[in-house]
Amino acid sequence: MKKKLRSRAWFDKKGRDGFIYRAWMKNQGIPDDEFHKPIIGICNTWSELTPCNAHFRELAESVKRGVLESGGFPVEFPVMSLGETLMKPTTMLYRNLASMDVEESIRANPLDGVVLLCGCDKTTPSLIMGAASVDLPTIVVSGGAMLTGRYKGKPLATSDVWRIADKVTLGELDDSEIREMESCFGRSKGHCMVMGTASTMAVMTEALGMSLPGCAAIPAPDSRKKVIAQLSGREIMKMVEEDRKVSDILTREAFENAIVVNSATGGSSNFIVHLLAIAGRVGVELDLKDFDTIGSKIPLLTNLQPAGEYYMEDFYYAGGLPVVVKELQSYLKETPTANGKSITENSASAVNYNDDVLASIDSPFKENAGIVVVYGNLAENGAVIKPAAASEHLLVHKGKAVVFEDIEDYHARINTPDLQIDETSIMVLKNAGPKGYPGMAEVGNMALPKSILEQGITDLVRISDGRMSGTAYGTTVLHVSPESAAGGMLAFVENGDEITLDVPNRSLTLHIDEENLAQRKANWEAPDLGIDRGYIKLYLEHVEQADKGADMDFLRGKSVDMKLRESH
Ligand code: FES
């Protein structure tokens, strides 16, 4: 053991304190000699309100088996679980709260190492952010995607939700058919089965080196998910033995690798805010511009929905992330992962079993697939767009703004006959950012109005300070920073204003004269959300803008062992 176990400060204590620390634990039937072993926390986001993570109790048992057989003492503990589909107004509002729960739970307890069980979108960044702030040896087990849905003999997956929504708008689907589709959708436990945000987070975790190689692609119901959970239980014991901490893995090089891999796998734009927030926790300098500089020229190597055709299950059968990493070798940096080896070493023997799903670097599915960052008077601190999910003909576009003051205004007016909108219009949504929603909801990919869909038009430029689901697509400029509720230029856009989006030149411009702008600024007031208590009040006072990862200012940085007093 390289270092004295942290848990010794609790369980080696003599007298009254030692009695209290051990005696209550012994009520669970724990023999006395267990307290000399490394104590491994299993941080579990299982919840029946987070169906993507509904199999995590079983997964925790597999981790425990790995810890036990390696001579450790596993202790499972719950933390706040963020279920993407049910929570209002958006799980993103609670990501930072959950990360605080994780951080304080780890720091306050006698833990020597931690295994994080992550699945649904925000459960991954919140757990990594929290654990990074304590900086113990930590490994992640990603819960895996659910099986692909089947409806009337055809695949059905999360990306289809947006197509279903358009069909509902056009009156082409009735309620009974929707109910039938729902029943055919979720065939097993696990997270969304496309390269949406949850899969992106699993890929990010593996690319950062925070999980064992191959973990991201194994589907939730596959027996090998339990195998990798058990192996992760064994690995965390080695990490504790060798004192391999989060900060040894989350280097600047690891973040650069994650950006490269995200581009090659067509990952969600949500990756940006989460990676920036994680970097902030470990003190690694990462800038919004890095996502463009490092990632935008990387080719797309995976043919997975929503950018492509196949599903997460197919990704696994084709060989998973190690195949992609092997192809990307020349772009990646050598930096240690959880098992002490670099991701390229870990992927050296990967084999591609299906080149319809996974392309080679010499013959990619798409060139220049990464995220692009645009700047201009409409986004002084940047905004992002995913060209791979956008329409080629709209990447350079000048049009007149159709403005919605907030999401309620959008819902109220989008299908009214007096809405002046055509295929050249640019839809603008305000008050969807970190402070304005609050929580930076996934509403940036506003569905098009019926009048536009009826003309067979499937895409318009859309601009907002919100996010979009990783399963969505379209020419959507997102994460505009500073946001409208913080007095960013977006707040001053009015119907009919001309806007130019120029992706090749990385610019987003509102055409407005100084006098007009000064007048609008003088008449502007920040929205009053009427929130005067609790966590959301704290969040509103401290949340940073999207270009900084939308973390709270006081959560940046880490502290292994703050001076915590004895509890008795
Ligand atoms: Fe949980 Fe999509 S809803 S991953």
Side-chain angles (χ1 to χ4, degrees):
M1 195 72 60
K2 268 195 176 172
K3 203 172 137 186
K4 189 182 166 200
L5 290 172
R6 186 173 174 266
S7 58
R8 297 285 73 88
W10 280 260
F11 297 131
D12 279 359
K13 275 222 141 183
K14 302 213 181 314
R16 184 198 62 178
D17 287 351
F19 177 91
I20 292 171
Y21 291 136
R22 292 181 301 269
W24 268 260
M25 288 295 279
K26 285 181 178 180
N27 81 355
Q28 298 173 84
I30 296 163
D32 193 58
D33 59 352
E34 290 285 306
F35 294 94
H36 301 293
K37 297 177 177 174
I39 316 290
I40 306 298
I42 302 171
C43 180
N44 202 339
T45 47
W46 170 86
S47 164
E48 287 176 343
L49 291 168
T50 308
C52 303
N53 299 10
H55 55 305
F56 280 16
R57 279 169 156 178
E58 287 170 57
L59 222 49
E61 291 307 314
S62 298
V63 174
K64 282 180 195 170
R65 209 177 300 166
V67 173
L68 287 169
E69 67 192 11
S70 305
F73 174 178
V75 281
E76 185 182 345
F77 64 98
V79 286
M80 185 182 194
S81 187
L82 304 175
E84 199 64 29
T85 50
L86 300 177
M87 291 186 82
K88 291 182 180 181
T90 164
T91 49
M92 184 64 180
L93 177 59
Y94 308 109
R95 182 199 65 178
N96 303 340
L97 176 62
S99 81
M100 289 164 77
D101 179 0
V102 173
E103 173 178 347
E104 305 305 340
S105 295
I106 294 174
R107 187 184 291 110
N109 279 297
L111 302 177
D112 299 305
V114 188
V115 181
L116 307 175
L117 300 187
C118 307
C120 196
D121 295 12
K122 307 304 180 300
T123 59
T124 305
S126 58
L127 265 58
I128 296 179
M129 287 160 70
S133 292
V134 195
D135 199 21
L136 297 183
T138 302
I139 194 167
V140 178
V141 178
S142 298
M146 53 178 139
L147 299 176
T148 310
R150 297 292 296 181
Y151 177 66
K152 293 186 176 172
K154 295 208 175 94
L156 179 66
T158 319
S159 304
D160 294 312
V161 171
W162 315 111
R163 294 180 190 101
I164 291 169
D166 287 348
K167 285 193 171 183
V168 170
T169 303
L170 292 168
E172 293 172 6
L173 269 182
D174 64 25
D175 198 49
S176 65
E177 191 163 9
I178 289 177
R179 295 245 168 184
E180 183 60 22
M181 290 172 100
E182 290 164 11
S183 307
C184 299
F185 176 85
R187 291 174 50 224
S188 74
K189 291 168 184 169
H191 62 66
C192 287
M193 60 294 256
V194 297
M195 191 51 79
T197 304
S199 301
T200 300
M201 288 295 99
V203 164
M204 173 195 81
T205 302
E206 191 172 326
L208 282 171
M210 289 291 294
S211 65
L212 287 179
C215 185
I218 306 173
D222 193 299
S223 55
R224 281 158 291 187
K225 194 52 120 186
K226 287 188 184 166
V227 173
I228 206 153
Q230 187 167 340
L231 295 177
S232 302
R234 291 180 192 171
E235 194 63 48
I236 189 65
M237 288 293 292
K238 288 189 214 151
M239 294 174 79
V240 171
E241 171 79 33
E242 292 166 20
D243 195 28
R244 230 179 289 142
K245 304 181 299 298
V246 176
S247 57
D248 297 319
I249 298 169
L250 295 185
T251 58
R252 163 83 195 185
E253 289 76 17
F255 285 95
E256 292 182 10
N257 286 347
I259 293 173
V260 168
V261 172
N262 184 66
S263 300
T265 51
S268 155
S269 50
N270 286 324
F271 165 79
I272 303 168
V273 284
H274 300 322
L275 200 74
L276 284 166
I278 295 167
R281 295 300 181 99
V282 284
V284 165
E285 289 298 325
L286 194 68
D287 190 83
L288 186 59
K289 222 176 218 157
D290 289 326
F291 291 80
D292 195 330
T293 327
I294 300 166
S296 64
K297 297 282 185 306
I298 302 294
L300 182 69
L301 300 183
T302 57
N303 185 10
L304 299 171
Q305 293 216 11
E309 196 184 335
Y310 290 94
Y311 303 91
M312 286 304 286
E313 240 181 289
D314 305 303
F315 182 39
Y316 178 53
Y317 304 144
L321 194 63
V323 174
V324 178
V325 168
K326 194 176 174 185
E327 287 296 323
L328 290 169
Q329 255 185 64
S330 57
Y331 294 97
L332 296 171
K333 305 265 172 67
E334 296 291 320
T335 183
T337 70
N339 68 3
K341 298 179 188 158
S342 70
I343 53 170
T344 49
E345 274 178 279
N346 280 330
S347 308
S349 59
V351 178
N352 185 355
Y353 296 106
N354 189 341
D355 52 20
D356 279 345
V357 178
L358 301 178
S360 69
I361 197 83
D362 302 323
S363 176
F365 293 119
K366 224 175 220 174
E367 298 288 352
N368 307 335
I371 281 152
V372 162
V373 183
V374 292
Y375 293 89
N377 67 348
L378 195 43
E380 279 177 29
N381 296 335
V384 305
I385 179 166
K386 199 171 148 187
S391 302
E392 189 78 37
H393 71 281
L394 292 174
L395 292 178
V396 178
H397 181 77
K398 185 173 186 177
K400 288 194 170 153
V402 176
V403 178
F404 301 99
E405 292 301 320
D406 53 34
I407 197 65
E408 289 76 22
D409 182 33
Y410 161 80
H411 286 304
R413 292 195 297 117
I414 187 65
N415 284 315
T416 51
D418 52 353
L419 187 77
Q420 301 289 312
I421 191 163
D422 62 31
E423 74 271 22
T424 65
S425 302
I426 295 182
M427 294 167 71
V428 174
L429 176 65
K430 302 180 185 177
N431 295 311
K435 287 176 188 286
Y437 204 79
M440 205 184 172
E442 290 184 337
V443 291
N445 57 310
M446 294 165 273
L448 305 186
K450 194 176 174 192
S451 58
I452 290 287
L453 291 172
E454 280 171 342
Q455 296 170 48
I457 297 161
T458 54
D459 197 10
L460 295 183
V461 174
R462 286 159 270 181
I463 299 173
S464 80
D465 43 14
R467 298 175 300 122
M468 78 170 178
S469 162
T471 60
Y473 44 83
T475 311
T476 46
V477 179
L478 305 157
H479 309 187
V480 168
S481 174
E483 63 173 303
S484 57
M489 186 67 109
L490 193 65
F492 311 113
V493 184
E494 292 187 359
N495 275 320
D497 286 351
E498 286 198 314
I499 294 173
T500 301
L501 170 68
D502 184 344
V503 173
N505 286 308
R506 308 298 195 253
S507 72
L508 183 67
T509 312
L510 172 70
H511 302 281
I512 185 169
D513 61 69
E514 284 303 321
E515 197 182 329
N516 206 352
L517 178 61
Q519 201 166 27
R520 291 182 194 181
K521 281 187 175 174
N523 294 333
W524 182 78
E525 273 178 35
D528 178 7
L529 298 171
I531 291 159
D532 60 2
R533 67 173 303 279
Y535 164 73
I536 304 178
K537 182 172 189 286
L538 182 73
Y539 168 93
L540 287 169
E541 286 166 2
H542 292 280
V543 71
E544 296 185 313
Q545 290 293 287
D547 65 303
K548 301 268 182 278
D551 200 1
M552 270 127 71
D553 50 12
F554 60 85
L555 290 174
R556 285 185 163 263
K558 63 182 160 65
S559 164
V560 183
D561 271 321
M562 285 186 197
K563 292 275 171 268
L564 298 179
R565 284 184 164 153
E566 294 297 332
S567 46
H568 339 98

